[in-house]
Amino acid sequence: MFGYDVGISGGVTSMDEFLAKFFPAVLEKKRAAAATESAYCKYDDQKLQAFTSSLYIAALVSTFFSSYTTMHYGRKATMLIAGIAFCLGVIFTAAAAEIIMLIIGRVLLGWGVGFANQAVPLYLSEMAPSKWRGALNILFQLAVTIGILFANLVNYGTEKMARNGWRVSLAIAGLPAIFITLGGILLPDTPNSLVQRGKHERARQVLRKIRGIENVEEEFDDILIASNEAAAVKHPFRNILKRRNRPQLVISMILQFFQQFTGINAIMFYAPVLFQTLGFASSASLYSAVIVGAVNVLATCVAITLVDRIGRRWLLLEACIQMFVAQTAIAIILALGLDGNYMPTYLGWIAVALICVYVSSFAWSWGPLGWLIPSEIFPLETRSAGQAITVSTNMVFTFLIAQVFLSMLCTFKWGIFLFFAAWVVVMFLFTYFFIPETKGIPIEEMDLVWTRHWFWKNYVPHPDTLAHPNGIPMEAMKTSKLEDGAANGHKL
Ligand code: BGC
């Protein structure tokens, strides 16, 4: 649902029939720009950008409700709410006769995305055994990229329709919505969520089923301990602001900021528009967007295979270097090659190739890890609140990029790519110094990562100085598994 939305907007907003119906001024400007203005400014229109961005504002608001539902009604129920809101949104947008219907529809879709992005990463991380947690969690991102690619393909097909192509593009969003609604009905909830809501026996049953073993008492006890600690915390949002939760909070929020300031959504939302700026015809633009979408999916599979082997940090750092090189090269090509509205076709294709280099590195790093790391570093007591803050921060910056990118492109021209490249340098440094490796650490034992980090240990006291609510010294509970982690070649 999230991916389909990211991918569909750019294509729909570059369709003349859609523009003529809802944004006639943009269509006029686009036609006039073809003759006069600079190619960079064709689509610069606040209302048009609001069509894309409004969904993310709605998603942002919804996360504060979805954090409540994930905590009190479970991950499963939250997915069901997401599916229903999204189905309604699809009906409104695809049937829109007036702009107001379009807006109501976008808001409902935003609610769907907000609820789903809250529940799904948590669901995956909690269902997964810790040694596969990274790979399984990245299925979320894989689904996002498949959604984007699927949307690109649909746009490519519907653009050729004589009438109502945009309606078909918007209506097909109903497919993923039906899947998640069915999932919300048929799937079991996570053991962690069941324990948190007092359903111990059902939690044991689910654990037996998903682990495929009869004796699940050890893992059940870990979850129970974490759940008891969580129950002692009455105000998770207040608690999350405490000093000892600072590393998780800072890292989760900053990851979202950085993820969006890689500039990825400038490409994902507006690829067809961007390719038209590069002088491609309408269908060649959509075709190029399909190529980029396919690279995005394939590179996400690379992340799935590598994340639990070489770890999170290495992927993040390597990607910064690759993104920096590709973005700088794109800026140079645009600066030298785009003359008014014209760019030689071979340079256009080199730009597409460089965009693929850039997108692939994002897809095996900041894309999936921006969601994986926050879902695994919060303790159970602040996990729902932490995820809500993660999703809403992501949505704030997604909104910002959606709202201002076309205007920034108009003002900065090729410099926009240097702007994003500069942020990539900052991201590299932050990752190097402040993001510890979390590969293979059981989710209930994540605290130990902070207590051993050169900087974060100033914020998180060592476990043996903490009294456990059940009277068991925390250190005693934790050493055995940490040693397991170390034996598996894990380095903190
Ligand atoms: C980001 C989206 C982005 C997508 C691209 C996700 O991780 O959150 O904003 O559009 O990756 O594949």
Side-chain angles (χ1 to χ4, degrees):
M1 284 166 14
F2 179 31
Y4 192 83
D5 254 306
V6 167
I8 210 72
S9 316
V12 167
T13 51
S14 68
M15 290 180 195
D16 288 356
E17 193 196 349
F18 176 81
L19 291 177
K21 189 164 177 63
F22 298 109
F23 303 96
V26 180
L27 187 60
E28 257 171 51
K29 188 167 170 190
K30 178 179 162 186
R31 289 188 174 142
T36 55
E37 269 181 59
S38 142
Y40 289 109
C41 298
K42 267 188 217 169
Y43 290 93
D44 173 19
D45 180 273
Q46 292 298 321
K47 271 197 268 157
L48 185 67
Q49 298 183 79
F51 166 77
T52 304
S53 66
S54 53
L55 188 150
Y56 301 95
I57 276 290
L60 160 71
V61 176
S62 76
T63 46
F64 292 97
F65 296 89
S66 56
S67 113
Y68 184 85
T69 59
T70 32
M71 195 155 31
H72 296 282
Y73 302 105
R75 292 36 171 159
K76 172 183 155 94
T78 307
M79 290 196 267
L80 186 59
I81 301 175
I84 294 170
F86 206 83
C87 286
L88 291 175
V90 170
I91 296 173
F92 270 87
T93 48
E98 298 291 334
I99 196 150
I100 182 76
M101 277 181 79
L102 207 55
I103 294 171
I104 296 176
R106 295 290 288 174
V107 169
L108 285 163
L109 295 178
W111 275 72
V113 169
F115 275 78
N117 282 18
Q118 166 78 17
V120 175
L122 289 190
Y123 187 89
L124 291 169
S125 279
E126 291 179 345
M127 282 299 206
S130 55
K131 63 178 178 190
W132 294 332
R133 189 178 60 238
L136 287 175
N137 183 281
I138 294 179
L139 293 179
F140 169 77
Q141 177 71 11
L142 185 67
V144 174
T145 59
I146 292 175
I148 296 175
L149 174 62
F150 182 48
N152 294 151
L153 284 167
V154 169
N155 275 339
Y156 185 60
T158 57
E159 196 248 358
K160 296 187 174 45
M161 289 173 60
R163 294 197 55 225
N164 289 332
W166 64 272
R167 286 195 196 277
V168 177
S169 285
L170 296 178
I172 293 178
L175 273 185
I178 291 172
F179 287 150
I180 201 172
T181 308
L182 288 178
I185 296 168
L186 301 175
L187 290 172
D189 211 336
T190 66
N192 315 55
S193 173
L194 289 164
V195 169
Q196 201 174 19
R197 287 176 294 130
K199 304 185 176 179
H200 292 188
E201 221 14 69
R202 176 78 185 119
R204 279 198 182 89
Q205 274 171 12
V206 173
L207 264 181
R208 278 187 208 114
K209 189 162 176 191
I210 60 178
R211 300 287 178 255
I213 48 174
E214 267 311 296
N215 188 356
V216 289
E217 284 313 303
E218 198 190 336
E219 188 172 358
F220 180 84
D221 286 346
D222 272 355
I223 296 176
L224 193 61
I225 290 167
S227 170
N228 288 341
E229 282 174 30
V233 175
K234 291 282 169 273
H235 303 285
F237 279 101
R238 218 177 290 161
N239 191 275
I240 214 168
L241 296 176
K242 287 199 179 139
R243 192 177 160 83
R244 65 179 307 283
N245 287 319
R246 204 60 50 80
Q248 296 93 322
L249 186 64
V250 169
I251 289 181
S252 298
M253 291 181 75
I254 240 167
L255 274 177
Q256 307 314 311
F257 168 76
F258 284 158
Q259 190 200 54
Q260 292 305 313
F261 274 72
T262 55
I264 188 66
N265 280 327
I267 311 278
M268 292 300 148
F269 290 140
Y270 298 121
V273 169
L274 196 69
F275 292 134
Q276 287 194 19
T277 303
L278 295 181
F280 286 12
S282 190
S283 74
S285 298
L286 291 173
Y287 179 64
S288 317
V290 170
I291 299 180
V292 173
V295 168
N296 195 17
V297 174
L298 292 177
T300 306
C301 298
V302 173
I304 294 179
T305 56
L306 292 185
V307 70
D308 292 318
R309 283 190 224 160
I310 63 172
R312 285 71 165 143
R313 268 170 65 82
W314 195 91
L315 287 171
L316 291 173
L317 292 170
E318 185 282 335
C320 286
I321 299 172
Q322 194 172 324
M323 287 194 285
F324 180 82
V325 172
Q327 282 167 322
T328 313
I330 296 169
I332 295 173
I333 289 198
L334 289 185
L336 302 179
L338 188 64
D339 176 14
N341 262 315
Y342 173 76
M343 170 134 158
T345 317
Y346 79 94
L347 274 186
W349 283 110
I350 295 182
V352 173
L354 284 168
I355 289 178
C356 290
V357 171
Y358 158 76
V359 166
S360 61
S361 53
F362 174 89
W364 61 58
S365 59
W366 291 84
L369 299 178
W371 296 106
L372 167 63
I373 297 175
S375 79
E376 65 185 8
I377 58 179
F378 284 101
L380 187 62
E381 67 262 29
T382 47
R383 198 169 299 152
S384 296
Q387 182 68 8
I389 292 175
T390 300
V391 178
S392 48
T393 314
N394 186 284
M395 294 301 149
V396 170
F397 294 112
T398 308
F399 162 79
L400 205 71
I401 297 285
Q403 186 63 38
V404 303
F405 173 69
L406 295 179
S407 308
M408 279 169 80
L409 182 67
C410 179
T411 315
F412 289 177
K413 307 197 166 39
W414 47 268
I416 185 87
F417 287 98
L418 294 183
F419 170 81
F420 289 129
W423 278 111
V424 169
V425 175
V426 180
M427 291 159 57
F428 182 93
L429 294 173
F430 184 87
T431 307
Y432 188 81
F433 290 109
F434 296 107
I435 303 189
E437 184 56 68
T438 47
K439 174 187 85 173
I441 311 269
I443 205 163
E444 281 75 32
E445 302 180 7
M446 207 47 85
D447 258 8
L448 290 155
V449 166
W450 316 115
T451 57
R452 299 190 171 190
H453 186 267
W454 73 274
F455 180 76
W456 297 121
K457 70 176 178 210
N458 298 322
Y459 288 83
V460 184
H462 199 269
D464 52 7
T465 61
L466 293 177
H468 187 269
N470 295 350
I472 312 162
M474 301 249 288
E475 187 68 344
M477 290 172 348
K478 291 184 173 175
T479 17
S480 66
K481 288 229 181 103
L482 186 73
E483 276 160 9
D484 285 357
N488 290 335
H490 168 72
K491 285 204 207 82
L492 287 176

